[in-house]
Amino acid sequence: MQALKDKILSEGKVIGDDILKVDGFLNHQIDTKFLEEIGCEFKKRFEGCKVDKILTVEASGIAVACETARQFGSVPVVFAKKAKPNTIVEGCYSAEARSFTKGTVANLRVIKRFVSEGEKLLILDDFLASGEAAVALIRIAEKAGAEVVGFGAVIDKTFQGGRKRIEDMGVRVEALASIERFESGKPIFTNDN
Amino acid sequence: MQALKDKILSEGKVIGDDILKVDGFLNHQIDTKFLEEIGCEFKKRFEGCKVDKILTVEASGIAVACETARQFGSVPVVFAKKAKPNTIVEGCYSAEARSFTKGTVANLRVIKRFVSEGEKLLILDDFLASGEAAVALIRIAEKAGAEVVGFGAVIDKTFQGGRKRIEDMGVRVEALASIERFESGKPIFTNDN
């Protein structure tokens, strides 16, 4: 998605060897006009796929999931929770995920009645790095007996291995911008998207 | 908003004396079709107000804020963060907020360059209970010298005092459903909206 690559180059900021900050339009401040373009692009990428529900994880995945859900005819969105609030008193599917940016391990949870057997799930997130969150969401879907239509990330840092991990699980991956490496503080995109 | 009251009565669940669970359509699973109605209603309530940006807090406020932003002509959304990820390396405005449902204290943070002096902010959240998060967001806006156009909550549990706290700060409050009290495990709505 060229508009995304342009936006990353003009507004993103590389920190150290592996962090790309895009908090000006995606995960702190959200450019809601651009968000619509992201939703449309995911719809295009997964055109022809039946999607019953979109699964994501709090917090940055929520905006992307809701906008994409609208493009799929306003299907429901379920976001996995990272902490267990005392309002959750019923059975959950859970799976652990290490947070790349926070250095912590979160136990992602989804209440059982919100993911059903045979349901066709599109899993979305803002970033795909080492794939920890994505793998945890796929595990949750598997535990529920749901079918994962695919995994979509706005930005994929391919060099961190997450994409390969998910594809090795047999899940289709679509990333709107894939970064091969950082060079002199700038992202170098792969040529295939 | 009658459709919301109906949905709370049919799908919500009261736990104990003060918790209302609406995780089937608002803060775990999101009914994105209904979310659009919520966004339209906020637009109607704040009709005629100039809104430059919508401020909310992760995680459940994000969907409501993004959909309402779309109704206001796709203004940007900024969501305050509860934890400090290692990607935040610059100056922030911050304010403490006790979490009613988690029993913890969070330090809400917004990077300074995302809220500006004179900017007209509409602050939104899913719930208004004791008003901790709302007050913290208003304090952040004040620190930035921004102007708070109003505070909007999808559901206001008036009996927990948050509404009065915010109104006492001189900020207009709009709630799409206000709950006066719980009675025999059912919410009793105030008559005025």
Side-chain angles (χ1 to χ4, degrees), chain A residues 7 11 22-32 35 60 63, chain B residues 52-55 66 75-81 110-116 119 121:
Chain A
K7 216 165 162 73
E11 299 179 34
V22 287
D23 51 14
F25 68 91
L26 189 62
N27 45 26
H28 186 13
Q29 177 165 258
I30 302 168
D31 180 336
T32 60
L35 187 66
S60 303
Chain B
D52 295 320
K53 203 171 267 188
I54 293 179
L55 178 65
C66 285
V75 295
V77 165
V78 173
F79 62 92
K81 304 216 170 194
V110 173
I111 289 180
K112 286 187 176 179
R113 77 193 141 94
F114 297 142
V115 192
S116 308
E119 215 162 37
L121 299 182

Side-chain angles (χ1 to χ4, degrees), chain A residues 36-189:
Chain A
E36 193 166 341
E37 291 181 46
I38 287 174
C40 289
E41 181 69 20
F42 275 127
K43 177 71 172 80
K44 218 168 75 183
R45 299 286 184 105
F46 291 99
E47 196 66 69
C49 294
K50 189 177 179 315
V51 172
D52 296 320
K53 204 172 265 186
I54 293 179
L55 179 64
T56 188
V57 56
E58 62 181 1
S60 303
I62 296 174
V64 172
C66 284
E67 182 56 38
T68 306
R70 212 165 61 82
Q71 306 295 335
F72 274 94
S74 296
V75 295
V77 165
V78 173
F79 62 91
K81 304 214 171 196
K82 290 175 182 167
K84 191 178 180 178
N86 58 16
T87 48
I88 293 192
V89 291
E90 56 188 291
C92 293
Y93 297 113
S94 67
E96 284 193 348
R98 185 174 45 88
S99 166
F100 177 73
T101 43
K102 287 179 193 150
T104 54
V105 175
N107 198 19
L108 306 194
R109 279 189 183 82
V110 173
I111 289 180
K112 287 188 176 178
R113 75 192 144 93
F114 298 142
V115 193
S116 308
E117 197 179 331
E119 215 163 37
K120 290 174 195 304
L121 299 181
L122 173 59
I123 304 180
L124 295 180
D125 209 354
D126 55 344
F127 271 94
L128 173 57
S130 61
E132 285 286 303
V135 169
L137 292 173
I138 293 167
R139 295 275 183 239
I140 285 171
E142 283 174 349
K143 287 179 186 182
E147 184 191 321
V148 179
V149 170
F151 176 82
V154 180
I155 300 169
D156 162 36
K157 293 186 285 181
T158 317
F159 60 92
Q160 289 182 300
R163 186 181 192 119
K164 188 172 181 316
R165 276 179 79 184
I166 301 169
E167 285 176 339
D168 285 350
M169 291 171 86
V171 172
R172 171 182 169 193
V173 175
E174 289 288 344
L176 306 193
S178 289
I179 297 169
E180 203 177 86
R181 65 185 189 279
F182 292 142
E183 207 174 88
S184 314
K186 285 281 164 199
I188 308 294
F189 299 102

Side-chain angles (χ1 to χ4, degrees), chain B residues 153-168:
Chain B
V154 180
I155 300 170
D156 161 36
K157 296 186 284 182
T158 317
F159 60 93
Q160 290 181 300
R163 187 183 190 116
K164 189 175 180 313
R165 276 179 79 184
I166 301 169
E167 286 177 339
D168 285 350

Side-chain angles (χ1 to χ4, degrees), chain B residues 8-23:
Chain B
I8 292 170
L9 288 174
S10 66
E11 298 178 36
K13 201 176 166 185
V14 173
I15 299 177
D17 291 334
D18 43 22
I19 293 175
L20 171 68
K21 270 177 66 175
V22 287
D23 51 14

